[in-house]
Amino acid sequence: MSQSFEAFGFRPELLQGIKDLYYKEPTPIQAEAIPLILAGKDVIGQAQTGTGKTAAFVLPILQRLQPQKRDIQALILTPTRELSIQIADDIAKLGKHLDVSVLSLHGGTDIERQLAKLKQKVHIVVGTPGRVLDHLQRESLHFGRISTLVLDEADKMLEMGFLEEVVQLLASTPQHRQVLLFSATMPDQVKKLAQQFMKQPPHIKIENKQKTVEQIEQIYYVVNQSDKMDALLDLLESTNPYLAIIFANTQQRVQILTAKLQELGYAAEALYGDLSQKKREQLMRQFREIKFQYLVATDIAARGLDVEGVTHVFNYDLPNDVESYIHRVGRTGRAGQAGTAISLISPRQKAIMQRIAKATKATVEEKLLTAGRHLEAGRRERAKEREAHFAALREEKAREQAEEKKKKEAPLAAALKKAAKVKPGYKKKLQKEIEHWQSTYEQKRKREEAKAARKAGMKKKPSAAKEKR
Ligand code: AMP
């Protein structure tokens, strides 16, 4: 096994491109495949993404490229446009000092623009079989000078029903071209294709899937749904990722989460299936160029996403199956770099985490959440909200009870009211009667007094006369 890229005898411009990407030494698939490919052999590489398989075929292609010629010298077929774009991107980076011209031909983009580009110098074409065949039939592409043809992710390509196109494309390239086939699995269809079109290819097999996950530190926290956002914010602060992908299960949750992060000043963008192809490509490019730091995504949108420097993957929501979990987690720890995967789960999802640990043969560690400033503030805020809610409930209850009491006592109140109504009237009447009687009595008394006075006056007069005498 070769321990350095220099040992392959690569040209200095290519070594510089490798250095620019900070690749220190070849990965196992590169160490095994590159010498065979440089020797001109057809090669079958059985390896997953994450093993460095792209550079395993790109580097020898670039080593033998003749940039001064205008011919298309290599054709790389991929199952998806995302992968096509990504490979074209890798080629442009590794071949930066070589004046290489690469073009990705994939559906979902303007064919006229692709045609215009094809009129310029193109050394390497990467594309999906349908679109490449389309160009071949329009005669906008000529494969007469192709020296290397790569079938990347061949199993997926055939699974997606591209066999016919692939066969047609293989048949339209020169007989003596070299065929390189990369595939994670080797189903019969792929084996047959290899037998038919490849010349005694050595078969290199790299077992890496579980290792990819094993290299990644996997942690989970049991979190209440209401604490999730704050827990994530605390974890973002405490882990301080270089680049992070945050997965949520629905488009809506992705959008809400992104809006919240943006509001708090995080450089975050949302990636989900409904975005236009153009927008998705733009976002992925920007993420790769570290124009923003946090990519919030759904599973579908992040399929095959391969970005270096992703130090953390967060499962804001746990995915529905183990496969998706492995895929998500595999977005970090690329090519031997360290990576951390953090999942926020509900108490009930603990069993799922155990299943995942078993399936990935990896340790998945439960950690206890220490409340940081967001969680503490959030909890305080929620406690306040709860208190206000309960106070409102209590008030409401008291009001209801008062209402109830009032209803119950209504007949009595009515009776009292009636009684109360009768009494003042009666009193008044009584008062009037009393007053009437009082005045009658007074008048009578006064009359009697006057009468008595008159009587008394008459008796005094004769005695007075007697005295005068
Ligand atoms: P691939 O398996 O081609 O999808 O590559 C996985 C990741 O590994 C990509 O991000 C590559 O840029 C990176 N890579 C490829 N070769 C090396 C290497 N020799 N050293 C470090 N990283 C590498």
Side-chain angles (χ1 to χ4, degrees):
M1 252 193 213
S2 186
Q3 288 307 305
S4 76
F5 286 107
E6 281 81 4
F8 294 131
F10 285 155
R11 56 222 280 186
E13 300 91 330
L14 189 53
L15 287 172
Q16 188 56 48
I18 294 168
K19 220 168 143 196
D20 288 352
L21 293 185
Y22 302 102
Y23 296 177
K24 289 200 179 63
E25 58 186 45
T27 64
I29 183 93
Q30 291 161 2
E32 281 196 56
I34 289 173
L36 294 169
I37 302 173
L38 286 175
K41 286 196 184 312
D42 284 1
V43 173
I44 294 176
Q46 196 177 339
Q48 313 265 350
T49 44
T51 52
K53 67 174 172 62
T54 312
F57 60 79
V58 167
L59 290 172
I61 289 175
L62 290 175
Q63 170 64 16
R64 290 174 305 177
L65 193 86
Q66 295 178 286
Q68 71 285 2
K69 291 197 174 164
R70 290 185 64 89
D71 310 320
I72 299 173
Q73 296 162 46
L75 170 66
I76 301 161
L77 297 177
T78 72
T80 63
R81 46 193 175 191
E82 280 80 10
L83 190 57
S84 173
I85 295 163
Q86 203 172 293
I87 293 173
D89 206 54
D90 286 351
I91 294 172
K93 279 190 196 146
L94 285 167
K96 189 177 158 205
H97 306 282
L98 277 165
D99 194 24
V100 58
S101 171
V102 56
L103 177 63
S104 173
L105 295 180
H106 50 268
T109 52
D110 186 1
I111 204 155
E112 294 300 325
R113 264 179 57 197
Q114 292 182 337
L115 281 170
K117 279 199 182 165
L118 279 168
K119 290 211 175 91
Q120 298 162 12
K121 187 162 71 174
V122 175
H123 299 123
I124 303 172
V125 166
V126 194
T128 47
R131 184 51 73 96
V132 174
L133 193 64
D134 194 355
H135 278 289
L136 190 75
Q137 283 157 355
R138 285 167 185 253
E139 298 195 351
S140 45
L141 269 183
H142 300 281
F143 290 159
R145 311 255 168 179
I146 280 185
S147 50
T148 308
L149 186 130
V150 183
L151 306 175
D152 193 24
E153 302 205 351
D155 50 353
K156 265 201 211 149
M157 210 142 51
L158 300 193
E159 212 178 277
M160 286 168 77
F162 281 132
L163 178 65
E164 207 176 304
E165 287 87 344
V166 169
V167 168
Q168 278 191 55
L169 288 167
L170 276 161
S172 63
T173 49
Q175 273 282 310
H176 56 269
R177 72 340 197 188
Q178 177 183 39
V179 179
L180 308 174
L181 184 149
F182 286 81
S183 196
T185 58
M186 289 299 285
D188 284 347
Q189 231 186 353
V190 176
K191 278 188 200 145
K192 258 191 222 154
L193 190 75
Q195 273 162 10
Q196 202 180 341
F197 290 96
M198 297 173 82
K199 296 171 223 101
Q200 297 157 356
H203 185 154
I204 302 166
K205 198 170 169 181
I206 302 289
E207 308 272 2
N208 205 342
K209 188 167 182 175
Q210 275 159 12
K211 221 171 153 224
T212 312
V213 178
E214 269 168 24
Q215 285 162 354
I216 297 163
E217 185 190 15
Q218 296 179 73
I219 301 166
Y220 70 87
Y221 294 93
V222 178
V223 182
N224 289 331
Q225 183 65 32
S226 57
D227 283 345
K228 257 192 181 181
M229 185 71 218
D230 293 321
L232 177 74
L233 292 173
D234 281 344
L235 286 166
L236 289 181
E237 273 182 14
S238 63
T239 56
N240 192 19
Y242 182 65
L243 290 181
I245 305 178
I246 304 165
F247 284 98
N249 283 356
T250 66
Q251 192 159 310
Q252 202 195 16
R253 285 173 72 76
V254 162
Q255 284 169 319
I256 294 170
L257 196 51
T258 312
K260 180 81 189 169
L261 288 173
Q262 285 173 346
E263 190 189 309
L264 291 169
Y266 284 94
E269 294 294 337
L271 183 75
Y272 46 86
D274 271 4
L275 291 177
S276 70
Q277 177 67 17
K278 204 168 150 212
K279 180 75 190 162
R280 276 200 273 168
E281 281 165 21
Q282 186 196 3
L283 280 175
M284 290 203 215
R285 197 172 48 246
Q286 289 175 340
F287 190 48
R288 245 177 232 121
E289 290 166 359
I290 320 180
K291 296 254 164 67
F292 61 92
Q293 207 184 349
Y294 302 93
L295 183 74
V296 189
T298 56
D299 283 302
I300 303 159
R303 276 264 142 222
L305 186 82
D306 182 16
V307 176
E308 257 181 87
V310 175
T311 51
H312 291 76
V313 163
F314 290 89
N315 285 317
Y316 185 69
D317 298 323
L318 203 60
N320 298 324
D321 54 89
V322 176
E323 263 309 302
S324 301
Y325 177 88
I326 293 173
H327 178 266
R328 285 183 181 187
V329 163
R331 299 310 93 207
T332 181
R334 310 297 288 164
Q337 289 170 355
T340 306
I342 299 176
S343 304
L344 301 181
I345 69 163
S346 72
R348 286 226 214 119
Q349 288 174 322
K350 263 185 156 185
I352 302 178
M353 281 320 295
Q354 272 148 19
R355 268 213 306 280
I356 287 171
K358 221 166 142 192
T360 55
K361 295 199 178 73
T363 323
V364 185
E365 190 191 351
E366 175 175 356
K367 279 198 181 170
L368 292 178
L369 207 59
T370 41
R373 68 185 183 110
H374 291 285
L375 198 52
E376 267 170 11
R379 281 181 175 163
R380 266 201 306 275
E381 190 59 34
R382 279 188 293 283
K384 241 201 285 175
E385 275 168 21
R386 265 199 310 277
E387 205 32 67
H389 177 67
F390 287 141
L393 274 183
R394 275 197 298 271
E395 234 171 68
E396 175 75 24
K397 187 91 191 157
R399 242 198 327 272
E400 270 173 18
Q401 277 173 346
E403 202 71 28
E404 193 76 7
K405 198 172 162 213
K406 216 166 143 190
K407 250 189 222 165
K408 258 192 208 160
E409 292 177 352
L412 180 66
L416 279 174
K417 206 172 167 189
K418 208 171 157 193
K421 250 186 202 167
V422 166
K423 261 185 184 168
Y426 176 69
K427 268 184 192 165
K428 234 179 188 174
K429 204 172 148 197
L430 204 64
Q431 188 64 28
K432 260 187 189 165
E433 262 174 39
I434 290 166
E435 277 169 13
H436 170 74
W437 284 115
Q438 266 177 346
S439 81
T440 314
Y441 171 79
E442 198 67 13
Q443 277 170 8
K444 203 177 164 191
R445 191 184 56 81
K446 278 182 185 164
R447 259 199 318 271
E448 290 203 337
E449 254 180 26
K451 208 173 158 186
R454 262 195 321 270
K455 240 184 207 173
M458 274 165 65
K459 271 182 193 169
K460 263 182 190 173
K461 266 180 193 167
S463 66
K466 233 188 216 175
E467 270 170 29
K468 269 183 194 176
R469 267 184 245 152

